[in-house]
Amino acid sequence: MSEQRTDGPRVPAADSEPWWAGTGPVGGVVLILLGLGAVAALVVTGHATPDAYLNLYGAAKVVAVGLVLAGTGLLAKRRRTRATCDADRPDEDR
């Protein structure tokens, strides 16, 4: 029979969330600005490199992630505000 040792050090599990999951709407706006800055820098310097379109694609992905973060963060904030307002109203007004 095989016995498992439980007295050894435990290896921590990997995070199940991506690195940008906890940044919220402010982090989303920062990512949007970083992505747009990268696009502007690529446009200003020109498309001289063969992989310029890959760089533009990467910058567009950063902007897209920023838009998703900002949008979901603002929607969650709006839901919390609406739920708070509904909880403050008496039952007759609902």
Side-chain angles (χ1 to χ4, degrees):
M1 272 201 197
S2 139
E3 294 183 19
Q4 292 181 350
R5 293 183 60 188
T6 58
D7 57 344
R10 301 182 84 186
V11 179
D15 290 335
S16 62
E17 295 180 347
W19 60 268
W20 44 264
T23 58
V26 175
V29 171
V30 169
L31 283 176
I32 293 169
L33 293 176
L34 283 173
L36 291 176
V39 168
L42 289 169
V43 169
V44 168
T45 59
H47 300 292
T49 61
D51 60 323
Y53 291 113
L54 291 175
N55 292 336
L56 284 172
Y57 176 69
K61 287 195 313 186
V62 171
V63 171
V65 168
L67 286 171
V68 169
L69 282 175
T72 55
L74 291 174
L75 283 175
K77 183 177 179 182
R78 184 175 175 191
R79 271 194 193 149
R80 281 192 305 262
T81 305
R82 184 178 293 168
T84 304
C85 289
D86 287 344
D88 292 342
R89 274 195 272 164
D91 287 334
E92 298 129 13
D93 293 341
R94 289 188 198 169

